[in-house]
Amino acid sequence: MAARATLPSLTLLRSDVELRPVPADAQAATEADDAGPDAAGETATEPAPRALARLLEDLRAARERDPAARSWAELVLAYPGLHAVWAHRVSHRLWQRRGTRLLARVLSHVARSVTGVEIHPGAVIGRRVFIDHGMGVVIGETAEVGDDVLIYHGVTLGGRTTKRGKRHPTVGDGVVLGAGAKVLGPILVGDGARVGANSVVVGDVPAGWTALGVPAQVSAPGTRGAMADPALFI
């Protein structure tokens, strides 16, 4: 069997979406820790353009998680979940500048029309987030999504109040959100947690635990009720 083509390795830079300013020396140390000593030295001498590095990172994440992906060209041209995330990166930057918030909303509206994925430009989206299939995904203004999150079609990260302020979920790193899952309110879904298809989650989910049902019940890893069959997710 022919080996799959691989993209050239690039040193990837940390996301610039922190909610609070980070001292320059602390940020540099964190970036060096994430990349490793060899990569850190390479970055210092030959930094890769951030936008290109992020794009390649997203493509790798998508190809690793979707066995239906047959080529890099297919991912770039025909994966609306990727397009939605890329458009959000631009609209989020615009949202951070008060004078361009209307433009940010217009861009997110256009992206919604093209991809079927609605991400409010105020939402914070981490690195290597992959939205599989994409159609019907809604992510609200104050939602926060960590790194390496897998989101299937029909997922809603919504609110339970019309009051201003934090009203949408915070999703940790490495979380899987099954098709049609509704995660509602300013709750926390911990790192590595899994939410089953069509579940309605209105309370916190501990890290590594599984939420399943309407309303969702949570279970610890390895206990009866924890999902082992991937078909429960998609």
Side-chain angles (χ1 to χ4, degrees), residues 5 17 30 35 46 92 96 104 129 132 168 175 190 213 229 231 234:
V17 294
T30 303
E46 297 180 1
H92 183 66
Q96 292 175 315
V129 172
D132 198 4
H168 298 100
V175 171
D229 185 355
I234 56 179

Side-chain angles (χ1 to χ4, degrees), residues 130-200:
F130 178 49
I131 303 175
D132 198 4
H133 302 291
M135 184 62 68
V137 170
V138 176
I139 300 177
E141 177 187 9
T142 62
E144 300 170 66
V145 179
D147 299 336
D148 302 302
V149 174
L150 175 57
I151 301 174
Y152 286 102
H153 52 283
V155 167
T156 297
L157 302 183
R160 290 184 290 162
T161 178
T162 56
K163 295 180 180 179
R164 293 184 182 274
K166 175 66 173 173
R167 59 191 184 278
H168 298 100
T170 296
V171 178
D173 298 339
V175 171
V176 177
L177 301 175
K182 313 301 178 189
V183 186
L184 307 176
I187 63 176
L188 174 64
V189 180
D191 294 349
R194 301 183 295 176
V195 178
N198 295 314
S199 297
V200 178

Side-chain angles (χ1 to χ4, degrees), residues 7 9 12-13 46 49 62 66 79 86 95 98 106 111 134 160 168 185 202-203 211 220:
L7 289 174
S9 176
L12 304 175
L13 303 181
E46 297 180 1
D66 187 2
Y79 270 65
W86 293 338
W95 184 261
R98 290 196 175 273
V106 171
R160 290 184 290 162
H168 298 100
V202 293

Side-chain angles (χ1 to χ4, degrees), residues 110-134:
V110 172
R112 173 179 179 264
S113 301
V114 173
T115 65
V117 177
E118 180 173 348
I119 308 177
H120 191 284
V124 176
I125 306 295
R127 295 167 55 173
R128 299 176 298 277
V129 172
F130 178 49
I131 303 175
D132 198 4
H133 302 291

Side-chain angles (χ1 to χ4, degrees), residues 10 12 48-57:
L10 288 175
L12 304 175
R50 179 170 304 200
L52 177 59
R54 286 296 186 81
L55 184 146
L56 295 177
E57 186 177 52

Side-chain angles (χ1 to χ4, degrees), residues 16-105:
D16 190 18
V17 294
E18 297 290 343
L19 298 181
R20 295 179 297 177
V22 179
D25 54 347
Q27 185 173 359
T30 303
E31 291 173 356
D33 289 343
D34 284 352
D38 295 336
E42 181 183 348
T43 302
T45 56
E46 297 180 1
R50 179 170 304 200
L52 177 59
R54 286 296 186 81
L55 184 146
L56 295 177
E57 186 177 52
D58 291 336
L59 290 172
R60 291 191 189 99
R63 189 152 192 178
E64 288 171 1
R65 295 172 184 170
D66 187 2
R70 290 175 172 79
S71 69
W72 301 112
E74 180 182 1
L75 288 168
V76 171
L77 298 174
Y79 270 65
L82 285 173
H83 301 158
V85 170
W86 293 338
H88 173 74
R89 293 224 178 101
V90 178
S91 66
H92 183 66
R93 291 280 188 173
L94 293 171
W95 184 261
Q96 292 175 315
R97 304 173 183 175
R98 290 196 175 273
T100 55
R101 286 195 166 184
L102 176 59
L103 181 58
R105 287 289 284 148

